[in-house]
Amino acid sequence: MSPVARIDPLLWLVLMGSVGLLLPHLPLAAVGMVAAALLWRRVHEVRGLPLPHRGLLTLFAVLGGAYVLFHFHAFWGRDAGVTLLIIAAGLKLLETRDERDQYGVLLLSFFLLVSVLLFDQAIWIFLLVGLLFWLLVGAWIGVSQPVSPPIGARMRDGGTLILTGLPFALILFALFPRPPGGLWGVQQPGGAAQTGLSEQMRPGEFDQLGRNPAPAFRVRFEDEVLPPETRYWRVYVMSRLDPDNPEGWTADPPAGTPGLEWVEDSQVRYQVTLEPTGNRTLPALPAAIEAPGRSRIDGNLLIQRPRTVDDRLRYTVTSALEYRLDADGLPAATRERNLQTADLNPLLTDLATEWRDLPPTARVAEALQYFRDNDFRYTLSPGRRDGADRADAFLFDTREGYCADYADAFTRLMRAAGVPARVVTGYQGGETGDDFLVVRQADAHAWSEVWLEGKGWQRVDPTAVVAPERIETGLAESMANDPSLSGVIRRDENDWGRRAQLLVEQMDNRWNQYVLGYDGRIQLNLLAGMGVGGMPPLALALLALALAVVTWVGVLWALARRAERKAAGSLTDYLWQRLQDRLARLGIERDSRESEQAFLERAARARPRDADDLRRIANQLQSSRYARRATRRQEELLQTRLKNLLRRLWLQRRASGRHD
């Protein structure tokens, strides 16, 4: 029985790297299966542990398929398909016995690398996959040869192959006609969901986001960036008290069609790149009037998706900044729900009762004036946050709180005063970058809405009364002196961490916008700038293919010339060899016994128009060959004369061909 071939070391690196990148996206049992297969194969090669019998491998394959079907209830789809693929790669590794079997592992490795990009397309992931692809090409070169070359030579040859095909791929990427949507469709995978707003607002939980500098989403406006005080990004509407904790609030379920009126001239259009949230609601400015595909705008002006946002998502929204919502009236059940109190805060109730005889707008004004007149302070580290009378403690004792505390207390005051009110959570502000706006988790914000007769739901932000700088200039100004916050949140210009993060975010945004988001619209703009914007798709496809092929042939020709020059030993020898080849095509071949000077003299007699140059080259060649020490200037002059003569002979040949 022939010995079992060892797995190529570069292929081992590719397998370990691709499996490592996929591990966070695999079920735990699948992780165990592939880890066991890798370990078994490695112990076999190091310690000689026998590989499993084919019957046992068949049993493993059946069990693996059954597990995938049980876990995902299907064999198709991204998660199920990738899990099947990685189980198959592990089993193939245990089946590999000769060089031919390694080709199967190589092919599976190509698919594994592509699978990584189905989950995450961040630029650093793309670079890692590119590096692993380079290693895989090097492994392929080694496996395909009877005697494997050194790893350094394989990596060099693999890099040359990749660079040769890169111009071909780039031209097709830029010019080949594209359907609507980005490179990977509407969804652009970005990994597991990150921390963000939840469907509950409970005491002490909401303000933890104020310390998180991670981007929540990025925005690119079609026109000018809106001023900070207008940038209220709506995510959840909360009119219900949390049944498990009446001190908190819980989001309303998706409502029906909005009763919306808006001013046509107040519309803005923008594109949002949203990081994974695990929720179905998409942040948007109020009032959204045009939702992205497969989404709808509900009665609370929230954009609802049919599926949770588990991957990075890009979408475009049109919003109207001037609008009226439910101005014609509220249904009785809705009004009652937005007037409910939990009877937990007697002092708050007594204060609000004093305003009940005032008009609703005056009740709102009285509550805001209370915050102005009583030395309230905006802070991420408020006082007591527990107990059934928490809002009383905030309003009459500590008077320190974060935006959620102000929105909570104001909404309860309005309800106790007989004004329908609710809490809205989302984000406010954002930091302007190079050509985009980045909204961080730290920009999470809560405000209130009150319903007024004839006006509908009106936004009231009590935080703007206590800390107007939070709304007008962002969290950085209101928290500039808080050393517990990162330099990114405080926008500290001297903080190297902030500068590094901003640079990374700019690169990431450009990658998302111009590579992952390169769609038909961007391509049309590019083609219009090149003067071929009106070409039909078929003609554009043929043009892209033609340019790609011509460029590819040009690259191959350049590489061939480079190889010839390298084989010649020096640039002078390479040019001299080309001159001999050019003269041979003109019918002047050099005899093997003929010296350089004799050959060039014969060529000069045969081509009188080039005789002077040929004789000068002969003299310089003789000086270069036999001089005791040829100067660099002499060598450069000889190279220049050789290049000029080659160019002239080529032009003469073309002119002769046209004349014929």
Side-chain angles (χ1 to χ4, degrees):
M1 186 174 180
S2 59
V4 176
R6 296 174 66 89
I7 300 296
D8 186 88
L10 292 181
L11 185 53
W12 266 115
L13 290 175
V14 174
L15 285 169
M16 298 297 292
S18 56
V19 169
L21 290 173
L22 286 171
L23 281 183
H25 312 291
L26 296 175
L28 188 60
V31 172
M33 292 179 196
V34 70
L38 289 169
L39 180 62
W40 193 331
R41 180 72 198 199
R42 192 60 189 160
V43 173
H44 161 75
E45 295 191 351
V46 175
R47 299 290 185 182
L49 178 69
L51 293 177
H53 188 270
R54 292 188 184 275
L56 187 57
L57 286 174
T58 302
L59 177 61
F60 288 160
V62 172
L63 292 176
Y67 169 74
V68 171
L69 183 61
F70 174 78
H71 188 83
F72 297 103
H73 308 291
F75 287 125
W76 53 87
R78 181 189 66 177
D79 295 346
V82 171
T83 304
L84 270 178
L85 179 65
I86 204 162
I87 291 174
L91 294 176
K92 185 62 182 176
L93 200 62
L94 295 178
E95 187 189 35
T96 299
R97 298 179 181 274
D98 54 30
E99 285 80 2
R100 185 187 63 182
D101 289 336
Q102 288 203 55
Y103 285 110
V105 181
L106 283 164
L107 287 171
L108 285 171
S109 299
F110 276 112
F111 285 106
L112 287 176
L113 291 180
V114 174
S115 299
V116 173
L117 297 177
L118 295 177
F119 291 97
D120 197 336
Q121 296 149 24
I123 185 170
W124 69 273
I125 290 289
F126 187 86
L127 292 175
L128 279 176
V129 170
L131 174 61
L132 292 173
F133 181 77
W134 183 17
L135 294 173
L136 188 56
V137 173
W140 196 295
I141 293 173
V143 171
S144 62
Q145 307 214 16
V147 178
S148 181
I151 288 179
R154 286 196 273 159
M155 295 302 296
R156 184 175 59 251
D157 293 342
T160 301
L161 286 173
I162 293 173
L163 291 176
T164 301
L166 192 59
F168 187 92
L170 291 176
I171 290 174
L172 290 182
F173 172 82
L175 299 182
F176 201 82
R178 287 176 170 271
L183 176 64
W184 299 84
V186 177
Q187 283 192 334
Q188 295 165 1
Q194 299 176 354
T195 301
L197 291 173
S198 72
E199 295 183 355
Q200 284 80 34
M201 189 183 81
R202 291 172 177 164
E205 294 180 0
F206 188 89
D207 43 299
Q208 294 303 313
L209 289 174
R211 303 180 183 277
N212 186 352
F217 54 93
R218 298 173 177 86
V219 186
R220 184 169 186 163
F221 291 91
E222 288 194 355
D223 298 316
E224 294 182 357
V225 177
L226 295 176
E229 63 270 16
T230 64
R231 299 197 298 251
Y232 279 84
W233 307 95
R234 197 179 184 90
V235 178
Y236 292 114
V237 170
M238 301 181 177
S239 61
R240 301 180 300 163
L241 297 173
D242 191 337
D244 298 326
N245 180 5
E247 290 288 342
W249 299 81
T250 187
D252 293 355
T257 305
L260 184 65
E261 306 169 23
W262 70 87
V263 177
E264 199 75 25
D265 294 340
S266 70
Q267 293 183 25
V268 292
R269 188 171 175 83
Y270 49 95
Q271 185 183 73
V272 179
T273 303
L274 178 64
E275 296 297 323
T277 64
N279 301 317
R280 290 184 170 86
T281 310
L282 304 182
L285 294 170
I289 58 177
E290 182 182 324
R294 299 184 181 179
S295 301
R296 74 177 186 90
I297 303 169
D298 74 1
N300 290 324
L301 298 183
L302 304 179
I303 301 179
Q304 305 284 355
R305 295 185 81 232
R307 294 191 301 170
T308 58
V309 183
D310 298 321
D311 306 305
R312 180 177 291 157
L313 179 69
R314 179 176 288 107
Y315 57 93
T316 302
V317 185
T318 300
S319 294
L321 301 182
E322 298 180 30
Y323 65 93
R324 295 198 311 169
L325 177 64
D326 295 337
D328 294 335
L330 286 180
T334 304
R335 172 183 284 274
E336 182 180 353
R337 183 171 66 250
N338 286 279
L339 287 171
Q340 287 179 351
T341 62
D343 297 327
L344 300 176
N345 302 282
L347 297 179
L348 179 153
T349 303
D350 290 343
L351 176 64
T353 303
E354 298 176 5
W355 309 328
R356 275 185 170 268
D357 294 335
L358 300 174
T361 53
R363 299 175 216 172
V364 173
E366 285 290 337
L368 294 178
Q369 192 63 41
Y370 180 83
F371 288 116
R372 290 190 187 96
D373 294 342
N374 288 278
D375 297 324
F376 280 85
R377 192 168 72 91
Y378 182 72
T379 177
L380 273 171
S381 305
R384 184 165 66 89
R385 307 293 289 272
D386 55 358
D389 59 347
R390 185 184 64 84
D392 276 357
F394 166 65
L395 285 173
F396 302 102
D397 182 13
T398 64
R399 295 179 181 175
E400 294 181 345
Y402 194 47
C403 59
D405 298 294
Y406 288 99
D408 169 73
F410 179 83
T411 303
R412 293 177 188 272
L413 278 170
M414 288 297 96
R415 290 190 173 190
V419 178
R422 61 192 186 184
V423 173
V424 182
T425 62
Y427 298 87
Q428 196 282 324
E431 181 178 4
T432 52
D434 195 9
D435 59 349
F436 63 96
L437 180 78
V438 57
V439 180
R440 306 183 187 281
Q441 299 292 355
D443 293 313
H445 193 58
W447 60 94
S448 299
E449 285 185 341
V450 297
W451 188 86
L452 301 175
E453 190 75 36
K455 296 181 179 180
W457 289 106
Q458 301 287 301
R459 180 174 67 234
V460 181
D461 190 351
T463 300
V465 174
V466 179
E469 67 276 6
R470 164 64 182 90
I471 308 304
E472 295 169 2
T473 57
L475 184 69
E477 290 293 329
S478 59
M479 296 292 178
N481 297 321
D482 189 342
S484 66
L485 298 180
S486 70
V488 177
I489 296 176
R490 291 184 286 109
R491 302 183 191 175
D492 185 353
E493 297 295 337
N494 298 319
D495 187 81
W496 67 267
R498 177 180 184 271
R499 293 197 297 268
Q501 181 161 343
L502 288 178
L503 178 61
V504 170
E505 288 174 359
Q506 289 178 4
M507 292 175 57
D508 190 47
N509 184 68
R510 285 194 170 94
W511 175 258
N512 290 329
Q513 294 288 341
Y514 301 118
V515 180
L516 300 182
Y518 185 75
D519 56 12
R521 179 180 57 85
I522 299 176
Q523 187 183 57
L524 287 176
N525 293 335
L526 173 65
L527 295 175
M530 297 170 59
V532 292
M535 293 186 68
L538 180 58
L540 182 60
L542 293 176
L543 174 63
L545 286 171
L547 286 176
V549 170
V550 169
T551 305
W552 190 32
V553 171
V555 171
L556 293 177
W557 178 84
L559 289 174
R561 290 296 189 195
R562 181 173 176 270
E564 290 176 5
R565 177 179 169 180
K566 185 177 180 180
S570 70
L571 178 59
T572 301
D573 291 336
Y574 168 67
L575 293 172
W576 167 236
Q577 184 60 51
R578 285 189 61 194
L579 179 59
Q580 294 179 77
D581 294 340
R582 184 67 52 81
L583 290 172
R585 287 196 291 271
L586 294 172
I588 309 172
E589 295 191 31
R590 181 183 177 186
D591 187 88
S592 59
R593 294 168 295 180
E594 194 173 22
S595 68
E596 294 172 344
Q597 285 71 31
F599 169 64
L600 288 173
E601 180 60 33
R602 181 162 59 86
R605 291 194 299 272
R607 297 188 62 83
R609 66 198 305 186
D610 302 313
D612 291 343
D613 285 323
L614 288 166
R615 290 189 175 104
R616 289 192 188 97
I617 289 173
N619 292 333
Q620 287 181 288
L621 270 175
Q622 187 174 14
S623 299
S624 176
R625 296 281 193 261
Y626 303 111
R628 178 173 298 178
R629 180 179 295 174
T631 65
R632 182 178 183 84
R633 174 63 182 163
Q634 290 174 321
E635 194 76 12
E636 290 176 350
L637 182 59
L638 174 58
Q639 292 171 5
T640 301
R641 290 193 181 280
L642 285 167
K643 290 177 182 177
N644 290 338
L645 181 56
L646 283 168
R647 189 179 299 111
R648 190 161 59 251
L649 291 174
W650 179 76
L651 291 172
Q652 291 171 6
R653 185 183 179 193
R654 288 196 64 188
S656 175
R658 286 196 298 268
H659 179 73
D660 294 342

